[in-house]
Amino acid sequence: MPLHHGPHEPERRTAVNPFYGGANPVGGMTAAPPRHRLPDGPLPPMSAYQLVHDELLLDGNSRLNLATFVTTWMEPQAGVLMAECRDKNMIDKDEYPRTAELERRCVAMLADLWHAPDPAGVGCSTTGSSEACMLAGMALKRRWALRNKDRYPGTARPNLVMGVNVQVCWDKFCNFWEVEPRLVPMEGERFHLDPQAAAELCDENTIGVVAVLGSTYDGSYEPVGEVCAALDALQERTGLDIPVHVDGASGGMVAPFLEPDLVWDFRLPRVSSINTSGHKYGLVYPGVGWALWRSPAELPESLVFRVNYLGGDMPTFALNFSRPGAQVVAQYYTFLRLGREGYRLVQQTSRDVARSLAERIEATGDFRLLSRGDQLPVFAFTTAADVTAYDVFDVSRRLREFGWLVPAYTFPANRQDLSVLRVVCRNGFSEDLAGLFMEDLNRLLPELRRQPHPFTADRGAATAFHH
């Protein structure tokens, strides 16, 4: 969560429309409430609602946000179910046994989808993929520590191998749990993990290798099978048995439906655990994620808390305690509503929109595609070599004038020279909306081409986008 240091502006009161005061247009509205301290007394509910509602009008339109992977549209029936369950605490298994049962069913469905050996599944829901990654990383570290009791925590420092393109939650994991991150840099036109380079960074202190099924930088899948093969060869040479965690935050809910023959999951014996975001291509509003392990052996019992809570024995593995059950219920609803064929159709539609839009952007002649939306429904592009009047940051800034939120950002080591735009196509971003996007982009291009030079002085401040 971001840290806030308080307001930097002079204190002023929020203006209130007198009609929000009830039957008497000026009754009780002589003093508007302050914004940075608790008001002295209560407001009528409609007044409080309208104050908050009006301020939120300045937020961007989530449906036009092409930066986020997070679901921005669900059916009304899902919204009704979520409203009915928003007061249920997911941790209270005894009070809400059916909600707990729906969570268990979701884990079993994912275990089946990802070919886990245990059909019941070993896993849990989380608040999102970030928590799921933390839990998976903790399991990897604890398993390594148990195997190295004679050296840890004395002389050995654990490390985790991954591509420099991983989501920021993995940097947080390494920081919070004192694990050395060993990052494979980008090279040339390779924008994600190289299997052989990953294997070469492994040693006796490596707790695992993270492979990403769907990089946030360009939407490409990392070659999980090749990573496992490189680690198999490493074990034959050295005896080192390095497990793999698949960060399937997005691709874990795309690949099983669109590439069922792609072997990336528990069919690979070296894959120890997988996470996904239910609130991304799982098609549920934020926030829900899922973490699954191959078997109980991959999840050390020492990490599982068995709590006598409100009359029941409850095993839990989580970083938090209380959280709403609404998102888990919505995930079960979506699994039930769509089934395999429904998910296939929804994800294929998103991919079709992504590929079509990428081709139309390339056809302008102003841009070069780095990816085409043919894995995740996501693609990245940069300005063509002969474009010097503007850069991707200019494009991002100008698209905001039409309401489109398209992130522009610079790639990490060793490709800091490359700045790109990225478009995420989700359910609800239709072919019609893609057409409107192209109309607005084509309307901007003549103006951008007439610029004397790019106008973005501070690229670091040009976008608030973070992976």
Side-chain angles (χ1 to χ4, degrees):
M1 60 182 291
L3 297 176
H4 298 281
H5 299 287
H8 300 288
E9 59 189 58
E11 176 62 45
R12 64 180 178 86
R13 292 181 178 271
T14 303
V16 180
N17 187 324
F19 282 92
Y20 300 160
N24 180 353
V26 295
M29 303 306 295
T30 55
R35 296 196 302 166
H36 300 301
R37 62 177 178 81
L38 282 173
D40 296 330
L43 286 175
M46 189 60 198
S47 300
Y49 164 80
Q50 201 67 44
L51 284 170
V52 178
H53 173 82
D54 286 355
E55 186 159 351
L56 292 175
L57 290 173
L58 297 175
D59 271 349
N61 185 329
S62 63
R63 292 284 297 280
L64 303 183
N65 183 359
L66 302 184
T68 184
F69 285 79
V70 171
T71 295
T72 55
W73 182 87
M74 291 188 75
E75 292 174 308
Q77 291 85 351
V80 171
L81 274 174
M82 294 182 76
E84 292 172 351
C85 298
R86 61 192 171 196
D87 57 343
K88 295 183 179 181
N89 190 350
M90 195 67 230
I91 206 70
D92 294 346
K93 310 294 186 186
D94 277 359
E95 282 78 2
Y96 311 117
R98 302 321 300 170
T99 304
E101 170 62 14
L102 298 190
E103 179 187 30
R104 187 196 66 79
R105 293 179 193 174
C106 287
V107 169
M109 288 177 177
L110 289 170
D112 176 65
L113 188 67
W114 296 338
H115 302 92
D118 185 346
V122 179
C124 59
S125 67
T126 63
T127 53
S129 261
S130 291
E131 183 186 7
C133 290
M134 299 284 176
L135 299 181
M138 289 164 60
L140 290 174
K141 183 180 178 183
R142 183 61 58 88
R143 287 178 62 203
W144 172 86
L146 291 173
R147 294 194 304 268
N148 292 273
K149 291 179 180 179
D150 57 330
R151 299 189 306 117
Y152 180 78
T155 59
R157 184 188 180 196
N159 65 73
L160 181 66
V161 174
M162 49 197 169
V164 71
N165 57 299
V166 292
Q167 212 267 353
V168 70
C169 68
W170 288 106
D171 299 316
K172 290 182 178 181
F173 166 77
C174 290
N175 187 350
F176 296 165
W177 275 271
E178 297 182 332
V179 172
E180 175 195 354
R182 293 190 174 178
L183 302 177
V184 176
M186 295 180 177
E187 296 290 350
E189 294 299 300
R190 176 181 57 76
F191 303 124
H192 56 222
L193 187 68
D194 175 73
Q196 191 56 43
E200 290 172 359
L201 289 176
C202 294
D203 59 24
E204 67 275 8
N205 295 326
T206 300
I207 66 174
V209 173
V210 175
V212 181
L213 197 70
S215 172
T216 59
Y217 279 88
D218 64 352
S220 62
Y221 294 162
E222 292 190 330
V224 182
E226 294 178 27
V227 171
C228 290
L231 294 174
D232 290 343
L234 177 69
Q235 184 174 8
E236 290 180 7
R237 295 194 309 270
T238 67
L240 293 175
D241 185 8
I242 309 295
V244 169
H245 172 79
V246 178
D247 183 348
S250 295
M253 293 304 296
V254 175
F257 306 109
L258 300 188
E259 290 96 12
D261 296 329
L262 178 65
V263 179
W264 62 272
D265 52 17
F266 290 122
R267 286 172 288 184
L268 295 167
R270 196 167 291 277
V271 172
S272 170
S273 50
I274 302 172
N275 70 274
T276 197
S277 288
H279 62 226
K280 292 180 181 174
Y281 288 100
L283 307 179
V284 175
Y285 286 138
V288 60
W290 302 92
L292 270 70
W293 287 265
R294 169 178 292 278
S295 70
E298 277 74 28
L299 179 56
E301 179 65 25
S302 59
L303 289 174
V304 178
F305 282 78
R306 298 188 177 275
V307 182
N308 185 347
Y309 185 66
L310 299 179
D313 178 64
M314 179 183 61
T316 67
F317 185 33
L319 297 181
N320 60 358
F321 203 65
S322 296
R323 59 187 175 89
Q327 283 80 5
V328 168
V329 171
Q331 183 74 84
Y332 183 72
Y333 165 85
T334 307
F335 284 167
L336 193 68
R337 168 76 173 87
L338 293 178
R340 285 179 179 260
E341 180 57 22
Y343 264 97
R344 188 201 64 77
L345 179 61
V346 169
Q347 312 302 34
Q348 186 64 59
T349 299
S350 294
R351 179 181 285 181
D352 290 345
V353 171
R355 294 175 67 176
S356 172
L357 183 56
E359 290 173 0
R360 282 181 280 175
I361 288 174
E362 184 180 42
T364 65
D366 285 50
F367 302 103
R368 176 174 70 90
L369 295 176
L370 276 66
S371 55
R372 296 180 172 272
D374 52 2
Q375 292 184 324
L376 284 187
V378 175
F379 62 93
F381 58 103
T382 188
T383 49
D386 58 346
V387 173
T388 58
Y390 64 90
D391 59 18
V392 294
F393 299 96
D394 290 325
V395 177
S396 177
R397 186 181 64 254
R398 293 299 308 277
L399 283 170
R400 278 180 176 263
E401 298 172 10
F402 296 91
W404 300 104
L405 305 178
V406 181
Y409 52 95
T410 301
F411 271 26
N414 293 333
R415 288 306 313 267
Q416 294 99 327
D417 60 305
L418 181 60
S419 298
V420 306
L421 295 150
R422 189 197 66 195
V423 171
V424 178
C425 297
R426 307 176 307 280
N427 183 39
F429 181 67
S430 63
E431 188 66 38
D432 289 340
L433 282 175
L436 293 174
F437 175 85
M438 277 307 303
E439 289 179 13
D440 290 337
L441 179 60
N442 284 325
R443 190 175 293 117
L444 283 176
L445 285 177
E447 298 178 26
L448 290 168
R449 292 164 182 158
R450 289 195 295 269
Q451 289 184 182
H453 54 75
F455 286 145
T456 306
D458 183 0
R459 291 187 172 190
T463 178
F465 171 71
H466 298 285
H467 291 273

